[in-house]
Amino acid sequence: MYKIGVYGASGYMGGEAVKLILEHPQFELAWATSRSKKPIAYFHRNLLGSRLRLVHPDEIGHCDAVLFSLPSGNVMQLAPGFIKQGTKVIDLGADFRLKDKADWERVYGKKHSSWEMTEQAVYGIAELYRNEIKQAKLIANPGCFSSSVILALAPLIKHDVIETETIVVDGLSGTAGAGAELDRALHHPELGNNILPYNVVDHRHIYEMEQELGYLTCEKVCIHFTPAYVPITRGILCVIHVFPKKNIEPTMLFDLYQELYKDEYFIKIMDMEKQDKASWQYLPYPWVAAVSGTNYCHIGFDIDQRRNSLVIFSVLDSVGKGGAHAAVQNLNIMFGLDETLGLTRYGSHPY
Amino acid sequence: MYKIGVYGASGYMGGEAVKLILEHPQFELAWATSRSKKPIAYFHRNLLGSRLRLVHPDEIGHCDAVLFSLPSGNVMQLAPGFIKQGTKVIDLGADFRLKDKADWERVYGKKHSSWEMTEQAVYGIAELYRNEIKQAKLIANPGCFSSSVILALAPLIKHDVIETETIVVDGLSGTAGAGAELDRALHHPELGNNILPYNVVDHRHIYEMEQELGYLTCEKVCIHFTPAYVPITRGILCVIHVFPKKNIEPTMLFDLYQELYKDEYFIKIMDMEKQDKASWQYLPYPWVAAVSGTNYCHIGFDIDQRRNSLVIFSVLDSVGKGGAHAAVQNLNIMFGLDETLGLTRYGSHPY
Amino acid sequence: MYKIGVYGASGYMGGEAVKLILEHPQFELAWATSRSKKPIAYFHRNLLGSRLRLVHPDEIGHCDAVLFSLPSGNVMQLAPGFIKQGTKVIDLGADFRLKDKADWERVYGKKHSSWEMTEQAVYGIAELYRNEIKQAKLIANPGCFSSSVILALAPLIKHDVIETETIVVDGLSGTAGAGAELDRALHHPELGNNILPYNVVDHRHIYEMEQELGYLTCEKVCIHFTPAYVPITRGILCVIHVFPKKNIEPTMLFDLYQELYKDEYFIKIMDMEKQDKASWQYLPYPWVAAVSGTNYCHIGFDIDQRRNSLVIFSVLDSVGKGGAHAAVQNLNIMFGLDETLGLTRYGSHPY
Amino acid sequence: MYKIGVYGASGYMGGEAVKLILEHPQFELAWATSRSKKPIAYFHRNLLGSRLRLVHPDEIGHCDAVLFSLPSGNVMQLAPGFIKQGTKVIDLGADFRLKDKADWERVYGKKHSSWEMTEQAVYGIAELYRNEIKQAKLIANPGCFSSSVILALAPLIKHDVIETETIVVDGLSGTAGAGAELDRALHHPELGNNILPYNVVDHRHIYEMEQELGYLTCEKVCIHFTPAYVPITRGILCVIHVFPKKNIEPTMLFDLYQELYKDEYFIKIMDMEKQDKASWQYLPYPWVAAVSGTNYCHIGFDIDQRRNSLVIFSVLDSVGKGGAHAAVQNLNIMFGLDETLGLTRYGSHPY
């Protein structure tokens, strides 16, 4: 049993991390922190009846790995101390995601106080960086939209089949993605029967997408990304519009995805050709509710042959495969365990 | 008082038409049809207590104008008879929307039996065709997504400020847009906490958008449009990504919209520069809940100067400004009445 | 045209009052107040494009009537000044609803500074106090749950057909009823797929129900009322369980309701016997969505002959017939206008 | 590993059973049936990527236990054959729940063809019938509302602290409880922002509640139960109003519940006295979202000392502790396994 600490357990991401560690067959929760003295069930009613007590950050002890879920700017100060003691660190936030310091400081609006650590940080998408994660001491877990878009576009960009400068993405997010902080726009009467565009241009996650997809091509990658909250509680759907460099057939597209993902336990590609479309017109496209609460990512697509464009859909849970579940997948890899341990359960239906 | 008939009153669009005619100061409901013998409140619980009785199509009498809300292919057979008797016709469906017969027959999958009438049909967006509507005997009321996108892009395309071949639109729709017909994907347990992409490429409304926006430019217009149902009951939001031909400033963009719409009662442009963005980050973008149940269309935008792209938002109600309310606006014009009669009410907050 | 002021226009109730006055054919909005300097569309996006400017309470001028929408304890200080100047006052809050001072002070947790005014206040249910409202200078508009329950039980208690000490009510409320104030339990991720019991015993509205229903009988009235928020945005449904003193038939029950309400424009009784139950099992019971945004109250019922109990359903909108719409109905009466002016519109379907 | 069959796997209850068996450490899915030839992911998108193939009922082979999820009337015909072969049977439906034949036949509207089996059927609430379940060959798994109400009232009735003839229950259900069958009232545009009372009196589950609670007292038990669908996807909340025979204190009430449930893994009692009520007014009452997707039941309560009544809240998931999860708990017991195997996971937050 490895001892895992969760630093910042009162938010949705930290709460999901706690739940996963509590249920994991090889991990033990060393501690989970909160500056409040309220019981865990105050923050996470699902954990009612657990004996877990949240502790103040000053009271924490040793652990083998720590998951940070804190506002940006905090982990760059805390991580070095843990790493020095041999503790593995996963930052669920953004402090070590970008490799360009000027970009980071502009985008996050502050100075970065331990930039040298960024260089040893591995970007935590196991499907792309499995070997590096095995050796890593510090993981920069990706943003939720970034995970969704990078997983969906990696096969296409790697094989040079699409224009990389005209990628358009609408990111539809459940409200868990907004976090537990109160906000008038997230007040139920406002959003309950509404749609809420936010951070409409230059969203912070774009920089991760452009950076990571840029490593797969020598061309410039430019992502036009706009998010909106829709009144679902969990999960995100990215609708991605791209333009193929030449004609492309559905089966070819499916094969491209399978080549990269056929052995990936958590990535499922929907093959529209093999579906009985007539029986249910909605079948070929991913449904976000199917992956809520899980570490799965479902990817599907369609081709507009008349207008020569592709639509790629990618669904995952922002605190699942786009967050705490992916972090546990990374922990499993870092400790040499079966990568799927504690993560194989299917989603609920209905969710 | 003009006598108005509603042909097909059991669906959401027909029900909204009935409600508007019942409440209109200058119109009187001549009749509303249904092949079922159920009372009106069976179909539209909001009309409980009204004395209105639905009649079988065989029982209808004379009226000054008729609003059709029927599946495609029906109105092309029924409209000629009404027009011959001097009755004005508004088709809320698609029988007369396209000007290219081959397109229509391919897209709607059937032969068109009265194509010659299509030539006299006026496309029912008052803001673009007010003068033609005044004289019209037959109005082809636009599709809901078409209205939203055409209103949002007309100023930009007319002034030649964007690339017309790379227009990407995600259309997020409330479930009223799916109609009253049962469908497994619209069953509450499936969609209640989910998002549902559908008709992902080559949606029928694209042809209207390309046709109408094509009249405003000599360049080819190509729209990459993908719709999805989100779990709200009413209204649609179109998120439109376009690429400016040259640098563009927010104030200039605002002025372009104002030039076309400043005297339009039902079109409101949100001016992001004049807003106190700091006070509420969600303020500058349109909210679909604000226009549900109304004839208003709210348009807003943002500029990504770093990536040289624009995001345009356009919200309206698919059975409001994108349907029955727009039809009543057209009726007002056809009868020489104040165009806003019966349509000026604001939306509800919350909706 | 009468000049109406709205004192407290930033909340949902005040916003609805503003909207109704703006749309009313005989009323003119004198002013609407807010202590904030934000534009009206910041608070009520549905009013985007209206020229209305909110004013500070210090800047208000004369008006013929004022609608107060303020936290309890404020109106008892402000109302006397207005009434002295001949302005009619409607308090949408609770300052003048109870006739027992000790009850009021205990329930609202403060001293009442102008109790003598309470005696001249008329409880604002037009269906019960129409004549008193005509003469009134001060109206205590009822609580939303109170309106729903009182309207539903008045015929039964008046005719002495039910046990008055064992009345059990569950009140299911849309989140508009919680007001615009942020609250963690109303944060969308918490409530979006959840149900939220609150004020589970001894809710303040119980005192209004017991007081008003008590006037209709010489027996003691005791209401066991528990509210819960459900994830809808508007409207309330009260499910009322009562025990008949003797056997009762559906038609007899229907007649009791019709006797009191048959000439009431805004009260609709659903007659289960006349419905074709087989065709749609949900038909006989009221749907809250049908009355959202309106001044209607739909009442329905069913009888458990095996267990000798009745279930009464009563739906209305907490800011509609349970709030600002009822206040406008009262204003119409106070000014000798047609009582239904500005209030006759049907609800939307879907809502 | 025990081989388990799921007979009827296309509905929500059968799908949940399949998922639980697939994830269970000691069970293996022998087969799952459907008369359709569609793939499992057509019915249950969450299982996308599983290799499971649904089989026609004619193709099934041997198994150690079978879970039936079929419309009432089917299992009474199928169960005897399985039991004869030594297969343990759990009926998730209603064929063996009632002990009074006349009641069953009237309530379910058909003749019962194997009533003698009913006598050996054990009502599947482990917390009440653990020893009987150990020996059982046939389990009648309870209805969802029945589980919720019986668990909530058993301690009170057993200790004779409440009036048993005046028990009033409102049952608020997520739409998964309505099943996968399409129904106009469950169509998203109708229910998305609405509340839907149904089976308002004499609901079938009442007979289970009265039967099982009747075994705990020599008094007559009479339940006045009314259900309604609210627009959440999973889980039910029962709001139970009862009248104590004498004064009762919160701590005494808590102790009564703890006496029965303190060693029960899946029942959590919320102790309002130990909560910091001031910090969060919603804390003391159970939230249905906290138990969705799980085998937990959370029970809470409040006391109206002024009116001498109690409100008991009981939440569980209709296909969880009120369905397939409880069935797996029973299977664990029947096979002598740890009762909690495969069922210990917490719910998601948010759900």
Side-chain angles (χ1 to χ4, degrees):
Chain A
M1 297 291 274
Y2 298 96
K3 284 169 180 284
I4 315 291
V6 175
Y7 203 113
S10 56
Y12 298 138
M13 187 70 88
E16 189 82 6
V18 164
K19 171 179 135 74
L20 285 172
I21 302 300
L22 288 174
E23 295 173 357
H24 194 282
Q26 295 290 328
F27 295 152
E28 188 181 332
L29 188 67
W31 39 260
T33 74
S34 163
R35 291 181 179 277
S36 152
K37 298 199 163 169
K38 298 200 169 71
I40 183 78
Y42 171 84
F43 298 106
H44 308 294
R45 181 62 64 89
N46 57 325
L47 301 181
L48 186 84
S50 98
R51 275 145 206 263
L52 176 64
R53 280 190 50 249
L54 297 173
V55 299
H56 191 275
D58 294 344
E59 301 171 49
I60 63 177
H62 172 75
C63 61
D64 299 307
V66 59
L67 300 175
F68 282 103
S69 179
L70 296 174
S72 65
N74 289 280
V75 184
M76 64 189 182
Q77 293 167 34
L78 294 163
F82 282 88
I83 290 176
K84 226 172 278 170
Q85 294 171 22
T87 298
K88 296 173 199 298
V89 170
I90 296 188
D91 180 12
L92 284 152
D95 282 10
F96 303 107
R97 289 178 188 162
L98 301 186
K99 299 303 187 189
D100 182 306
K101 191 180 181 186
D103 269 357
W104 195 94
E105 296 193 335
R106 182 177 55 77
V107 167
Y108 289 94
K110 49 176 74 82
K111 288 280 156 202
H112 199 296
S113 65
S114 52
W115 188 254
E116 66 295 346
M117 294 200 58
T118 303
E119 274 144 50
Q120 47 166 305
V122 176
Y123 193 74
I125 296 190
E127 289 76 9
L128 298 181
Y129 293 110
R130 186 166 284 116
N131 288 329
E132 292 82 350
I133 291 168
K134 271 181 200 156
Q135 318 296 333
K137 293 172 181 167
L138 171 60
I139 301 286
N141 232 56
C144 56
F145 287 123
S146 318
S147 298
S148 172
V149 169
I150 293 166
L151 287 168
L153 289 180
L156 303 183
I157 289 184
K158 215 171 156 184
H159 286 90
D160 193 27
V161 298
I162 58 166
E163 304 288 347
T164 58
E165 296 207 36
T166 313
I167 295 170
V168 175
V169 184
D170 282 304
L172 306 180
S173 177
T175 55
E181 200 77 36
L182 298 193
D183 180 314
R184 183 172 161 186
L186 274 295
H187 194 46
H188 188 278
E190 301 295 334
L191 185 57
N193 208 15
N194 201 1
I195 308 169
L196 195 69
Y198 69 101
N199 290 357
V200 163
V201 296
D202 209 35
H203 187 284
R204 291 165 169 187
H205 288 181
I206 294 174
Y207 292 86
E208 298 175 42
M209 302 173 197
E210 290 178 346
Q211 166 182 291
E212 293 300 317
L213 292 171
Y215 293 151
L216 305 175
T217 175
C218 50
E219 295 178 2
K220 191 185 165 199
V221 175
C222 187
I223 314 258
H224 303 273
F225 172 76
T226 295
Y229 291 121
V230 298
I232 66 174
T233 52
R234 292 273 290 241
I236 61 174
L237 161 67
C238 285
V239 185
I240 308 172
H241 300 262
V242 290
F243 299 92
K245 290 188 168 172
K246 52 190 172 193
N247 248 359
I248 198 159
E249 299 293 321
T251 51
M252 179 186 151
L253 207 49
F254 182 72
D255 290 347
L256 280 182
Y257 278 97
Q258 281 303 81
E259 187 191 318
L260 196 58
Y261 294 134
K262 70 174 182 302
D263 297 329
E264 293 295 344
Y265 192 92
F266 297 113
I267 316 291
K268 308 290 180 195
I269 309 303
M270 304 188 73
D271 180 6
M272 58 178 294
E273 289 305 291
K274 295 196 187 137
Q275 314 288 355
D276 175 12
K277 286 183 80 166
S279 71
W280 196 20
Q281 61 169 314
Y282 303 102
L283 193 62
Y285 312 116
W287 282 13
V288 62
V291 298
S292 290
T294 80
N295 196 41
Y296 293 99
C297 171
H298 292 178
I299 295 172
F301 50 82
D302 212 334
I303 302 179
D304 187 342
Q305 263 147 347
R306 194 169 293 272
R307 290 173 194 79
N308 196 31
S309 55
L310 307 179
V311 182
I312 318 292
F313 297 102
S314 170
V315 295
L316 52 73
D317 185 339
S318 65
V319 296
K321 180 63 177 161
H325 291 238
V328 169
Q329 185 180 1
N330 291 333
L331 277 186
N332 284 338
I333 296 171
M334 293 165 95
F335 285 114
L337 302 170
D338 175 349
E339 184 175 331
T340 68
L341 226 52
L343 299 169
T344 56
R345 75 184 50 158
Y346 293 105
S348 290
H349 176 233
Y351 195 93
Chain B
M1 298 290 275
Y2 298 97
K3 284 168 180 285
I4 315 292
V6 175
Y7 203 113
S10 56
Y12 298 138
M13 187 70 89
E16 189 82 7
V18 164
K19 171 179 134 74
L20 286 172
I21 302 301
L22 288 175
E23 295 172 358
H24 194 283
Q26 295 289 330
F27 295 152
E28 187 181 333
L29 188 67
W31 40 259
T33 75
S34 164
R35 292 184 175 275
S36 151
K37 299 200 163 170
K38 298 198 169 73
I40 184 78
Y42 171 84
F43 298 106
H44 307 295
R45 181 63 62 91
N46 57 325
L47 301 181
L48 186 84
S50 98
R51 276 145 205 261
L52 176 64
R53 279 190 54 249
L54 297 173
V55 299
H56 190 277
D58 294 344
E59 302 172 48
I60 62 177
H62 173 74
C63 61
D64 298 306
V66 58
L67 301 176
F68 282 103
S69 179
L70 296 175
S72 65
N74 289 280
V75 183
M76 63 189 182
Q77 293 167 33
L78 294 164
F82 282 88
I83 290 176
K84 226 170 279 169
Q85 294 172 22
T87 299
K88 298 173 197 297
V89 170
I90 296 189
D91 181 12
L92 284 152
D95 282 9
F96 304 107
R97 288 177 188 164
L98 301 187
K99 300 301 187 190
D100 182 306
K101 190 179 182 188
D103 268 357
W104 194 94
E105 295 193 337
R106 182 177 56 76
V107 167
Y108 289 93
K110 51 177 70 83
K111 289 278 156 204
H112 199 297
S113 65
S114 51
W115 188 255
E116 67 294 347
M117 294 201 57
T118 303
E119 275 144 50
Q120 47 167 304
V122 176
Y123 194 74
I125 296 189
E127 289 77 9
L128 299 181
Y129 294 110
R130 185 167 284 116
N131 287 329
E132 292 82 350
I133 291 168
K134 270 181 202 156
Q135 318 298 332
K137 293 171 182 169
L138 171 60
I139 301 286
N141 232 55
C144 56
F145 287 123
S146 318
S147 298
S148 172
V149 169
I150 292 166
L151 287 168
L153 289 181
L156 303 183
I157 289 184
K158 214 171 157 185
H159 287 89
D160 193 28
V161 297
I162 59 166
E163 303 289 347
T164 57
E165 296 207 37
T166 313
I167 295 170
V168 175
V169 184
D170 281 305
L172 307 180
S173 176
T175 55
E181 199 76 35
L182 298 194
D183 180 314
R184 184 172 160 186
L186 275 295
H187 193 45
H188 187 278
E190 302 295 335
L191 184 57
N193 208 15
N194 201 2
I195 309 169
L196 196 69
Y198 69 101
N199 291 357
V200 162
V201 295
D202 209 34
H203 187 285
R204 291 166 169 185
H205 289 181
I206 295 174
Y207 291 85
E208 299 175 42
M209 301 174 197
E210 291 178 347
Q211 166 183 291
E212 293 300 318
L213 292 170
Y215 293 151
L216 305 175
T217 174
C218 49
E219 296 178 1
K220 191 185 165 199
V221 175
C222 186
I223 314 258
H224 304 273
F225 172 76
T226 295
Y229 291 121
V230 298
I232 66 173
T233 52
R234 292 273 291 239
I236 60 174
L237 161 66
C238 285
V239 184
I240 307 172
H241 300 263
V242 290
F243 299 91
K245 290 187 168 172
K246 52 189 173 191
N247 248 0
I248 198 160
E249 299 293 320
T251 50
M252 179 186 151
L253 207 48
F254 183 72
D255 291 346
L256 280 182
Y257 278 97
Q258 281 303 82
E259 186 191 317
L260 196 58
Y261 295 133
K262 68 175 183 301
D263 296 328
E264 293 295 344
Y265 192 92
F266 297 111
I267 316 291
K268 308 289 180 196
I269 310 303
M270 305 188 72
D271 180 6
M272 58 180 294
E273 289 305 291
K274 295 198 187 136
Q275 314 288 354
D276 175 12
K277 284 183 84 167
S279 71
W280 197 20
Q281 60 170 314
Y282 303 102
L283 193 62
Y285 312 116
W287 282 14
V288 61
V291 298
S292 290
T294 80
N295 195 41
Y296 293 99
C297 171
H298 292 178
I299 295 172
F301 51 81
D302 211 336
I303 302 179
D304 187 342
Q305 262 147 348
R306 194 169 293 272
R307 289 173 194 80
N308 196 32
S309 54
L310 309 179
V311 182
I312 317 292
F313 297 102
S314 169
V315 295
L316 51 73
D317 186 339
S318 65
V319 296
K321 180 62 177 162
H325 291 238
V328 169
Q329 185 181 359
N330 290 333
L331 276 186
N332 285 339
I333 296 172
M334 292 165 95
F335 285 114
L337 302 171
D338 175 348
E339 184 175 332
T340 67
L341 226 53
L343 298 169
T344 55
R345 74 182 53 158
Y346 293 105
S348 290
H349 176 234
Y351 194 92
Chain C
M1 300 287 277
Y2 298 96
K3 285 168 179 286
I4 315 291
V6 175
Y7 203 112
S10 56
Y12 298 139
M13 187 70 89
E16 190 81 5
V18 164
K19 172 180 134 72
L20 285 173
I21 302 300
L22 288 175
E23 295 173 358
H24 194 283
Q26 295 290 331
F27 295 153
E28 188 181 333
L29 188 68
W31 39 259
T33 74
S34 164
R35 293 182 178 276
S36 151
K37 300 199 162 171
K38 297 201 170 70
I40 183 80
Y42 171 85
F43 298 106
H44 307 295
R45 181 62 63 88
N46 57 326
L47 301 181
L48 186 83
S50 98
R51 275 146 207 262
L52 175 65
R53 279 190 54 248
L54 297 172
V55 300
H56 191 276
D58 293 345
E59 302 171 50
I60 62 177
H62 173 76
C63 61
D64 298 307
V66 59
L67 301 176
F68 283 103
S69 178
L70 296 174
S72 65
N74 289 280
V75 182
M76 62 189 184
Q77 293 167 36
L78 294 163
F82 282 88
I83 290 175
K84 225 170 281 168
Q85 295 172 23
T87 298
K88 297 172 197 298
V89 169
I90 297 189
D91 181 13
L92 285 152
D95 282 9
F96 304 106
R97 289 178 188 163
L98 301 186
K99 300 300 188 193
D100 182 306
K101 190 179 183 189
D103 269 355
W104 194 95
E105 295 193 337
R106 182 178 55 75
V107 167
Y108 289 94
K110 48 178 74 81
K111 289 275 157 205
H112 199 297
S113 65
S114 50
W115 188 255
E116 68 293 349
M117 293 201 59
T118 303
E119 275 145 50
Q120 48 167 304
V122 176
Y123 194 73
I125 295 189
E127 289 76 9
L128 299 181
Y129 294 108
R130 186 167 284 114
N131 288 329
E132 291 82 351
I133 291 168
K134 270 181 201 155
Q135 319 297 333
K137 293 173 182 168
L138 171 61
I139 302 284
N141 231 56
C144 55
F145 287 123
S146 319
S147 299
S148 172
V149 169
I150 294 166
L151 287 168
L153 290 181
L156 303 183
I157 289 184
K158 215 171 156 184
H159 287 88
D160 193 28
V161 297
I162 59 168
E163 303 289 347
T164 58
E165 295 207 38
T166 312
I167 294 170
V168 176
V169 184
D170 281 304
L172 307 180
S173 175
T175 55
E181 199 77 34
L182 297 193
D183 180 314
R184 181 169 162 189
L186 275 294
H187 193 45
H188 187 279
E190 302 297 334
L191 184 57
N193 208 16
N194 202 1
I195 308 169
L196 195 69
Y198 69 100
N199 291 358
V200 162
V201 296
D202 208 34
H203 188 286
R204 292 166 169 185
H205 288 182
I206 295 173
Y207 292 86
E208 299 174 41
M209 302 173 198
E210 291 178 346
Q211 166 182 290
E212 294 300 319
L213 292 170
Y215 294 150
L216 305 175
T217 175
C218 50
E219 296 180 1
K220 190 185 166 204
V221 175
C222 186
I223 314 257
H224 303 273
F225 172 77
T226 295
Y229 291 121
V230 297
I232 67 173
T233 52
R234 292 272 291 242
I236 61 175
L237 162 67
C238 284
V239 185
I240 307 172
H241 301 262
V242 290
F243 300 91
K245 290 187 170 173
K246 50 189 173 192
N247 246 1
I248 197 158
E249 299 294 319
T251 50
M252 178 188 151
L253 207 48
F254 182 72
D255 290 346
L256 280 182
Y257 278 96
Q258 282 303 83
E259 186 191 318
L260 196 58
Y261 294 135
K262 69 175 184 300
D263 297 327
E264 292 296 343
Y265 192 93
F266 297 113
I267 316 292
K268 308 287 179 197
I269 309 303
M270 303 187 73
D271 179 7
M272 58 178 297
E273 288 307 289
K274 295 199 187 133
Q275 313 289 353
D276 175 12
K277 284 184 83 167
S279 72
W280 196 22
Q281 61 170 313
Y282 303 103
L283 194 61
Y285 312 116
W287 282 14
V288 61
V291 298
S292 290
T294 79
N295 195 42
Y296 293 99
C297 171
H298 292 178
I299 295 172
F301 51 82
D302 211 337
I303 302 179
D304 187 341
Q305 262 146 347
R306 194 170 293 272
R307 289 172 194 80
N308 196 31
S309 55
L310 308 179
V311 182
I312 317 291
F313 297 102
S314 169
V315 296
L316 52 73
D317 185 340
S318 65
V319 297
K321 180 62 176 161
H325 291 239
V328 169
Q329 185 181 359
N330 291 333
L331 277 186
N332 285 337
I333 296 171
M334 292 165 96
F335 286 113
L337 302 171
D338 174 350
E339 183 174 332
T340 68
L341 225 52
L343 298 170
T344 56
R345 74 184 51 160
Y346 292 105
S348 289
H349 176 234
Y351 194 92
Chain D
M1 299 288 276
Y2 298 96
K3 285 168 180 285
I4 316 291
V6 175
Y7 204 112
S10 55
Y12 298 138
M13 188 69 90
E16 190 81 5
V18 164
K19 171 179 134 73
L20 285 173
I21 302 300
L22 288 175
E23 295 173 358
H24 194 283
Q26 295 290 328
F27 295 153
E28 188 180 332
L29 188 68
W31 39 259
T33 74
S34 164
R35 293 183 177 276
S36 151
K37 298 198 163 171
K38 296 200 171 71
I40 182 79
Y42 171 84
F43 298 106
H44 307 296
R45 181 62 62 88
N46 56 326
L47 300 181
L48 185 83
S50 98
R51 275 147 206 259
L52 176 63
R53 280 189 54 248
L54 297 172
V55 299
H56 190 276
D58 293 345
E59 300 172 50
I60 62 176
H62 173 77
C63 61
D64 298 307
V66 60
L67 301 175
F68 282 103
S69 179
L70 296 174
S72 66
N74 289 279
V75 183
M76 64 189 182
Q77 292 167 34
L78 294 163
F82 282 88
I83 290 175
K84 226 170 278 169
Q85 294 172 21
T87 298
K88 296 172 198 298
V89 169
I90 296 189
D91 181 12
L92 285 152
D95 282 9
F96 304 106
R97 288 179 188 162
L98 301 187
K99 300 301 187 192
D100 183 306
K101 191 179 181 188
D103 269 355
W104 195 95
E105 296 193 336
R106 182 177 54 76
V107 167
Y108 289 94
K110 49 176 75 80
K111 288 277 156 203
H112 199 297
S113 65
S114 51
W115 188 254
E116 68 293 349
M117 293 200 59
T118 303
E119 275 144 51
Q120 47 168 305
V122 177
Y123 194 73
I125 296 190
E127 288 77 8
L128 298 181
Y129 293 109
R130 186 167 285 115
N131 288 329
E132 292 82 351
I133 291 169
K134 269 181 202 155
Q135 318 297 333
K137 293 172 182 167
L138 171 60
I139 301 286
N141 232 56
C144 55
F145 287 122
S146 318
S147 298
S148 173
V149 169
I150 293 166
L151 287 167
L153 289 181
L156 303 183
I157 289 184
K158 215 171 155 182
H159 286 89
D160 192 28
V161 298
I162 58 168
E163 304 289 347
T164 58
E165 296 207 37
T166 313
I167 295 171
V168 176
V169 183
D170 281 303
L172 307 180
S173 176
T175 55
E181 200 77 35
L182 299 192
D183 180 314
R184 182 170 161 188
L186 275 294
H187 193 46
H188 187 279
E190 302 296 335
L191 184 56
N193 208 17
N194 202 2
I195 308 169
L196 195 69
Y198 68 101
N199 290 357
V200 162
V201 296
D202 208 34
H203 188 285
R204 291 166 169 186
H205 289 181
I206 295 173
Y207 292 85
E208 299 174 42
M209 302 174 198
E210 291 179 347
Q211 167 182 290
E212 294 299 318
L213 293 170
Y215 294 151
L216 306 175
T217 176
C218 50
E219 296 179 1
K220 190 184 166 203
V221 175
C222 187
I223 314 258
H224 303 273
F225 172 75
T226 295
Y229 291 121
V230 297
I232 67 173
T233 53
R234 293 271 292 241
I236 60 175
L237 162 66
C238 285
V239 184
I240 307 172
H241 300 262
V242 291
F243 299 91
K245 290 187 169 172
K246 51 189 171 191
N247 247 1
I248 197 158
E249 298 294 318
T251 51
M252 178 188 153
L253 206 49
F254 183 73
D255 291 346
L256 280 182
Y257 278 96
Q258 282 302 82
E259 186 191 319
L260 195 59
Y261 294 135
K262 70 174 182 302
D263 296 328
E264 293 295 343
Y265 192 93
F266 297 113
I267 316 293
K268 308 288 179 197
I269 310 304
M270 304 187 73
D271 179 6
M272 58 178 296
E273 289 306 290
K274 294 197 186 136
Q275 313 289 354
D276 175 11
K277 285 184 81 166
S279 72
W280 196 21
Q281 61 169 314
Y282 303 102
L283 195 61
Y285 312 116
W287 283 13
V288 61
V291 298
S292 290
T294 80
N295 195 42
Y296 293 99
C297 171
H298 292 179
I299 295 171
F301 51 81
D302 212 336
I303 302 178
D304 187 342
Q305 263 145 349
R306 193 169 295 272
R307 289 172 194 80
N308 195 31
S309 54
L310 307 180
V311 182
I312 317 292
F313 298 102
S314 170
V315 296
L316 51 73
D317 185 339
S318 64
V319 297
K321 181 63 176 161
H325 290 238
V328 168
Q329 184 180 0
N330 290 334
L331 277 186
N332 285 337
I333 296 171
M334 293 166 96
F335 287 113
L337 302 171
D338 174 349
E339 184 175 331
T340 68
L341 225 53
L343 298 169
T344 56
R345 73 184 51 160
Y346 293 105
S348 290
H349 177 233
Y351 194 93

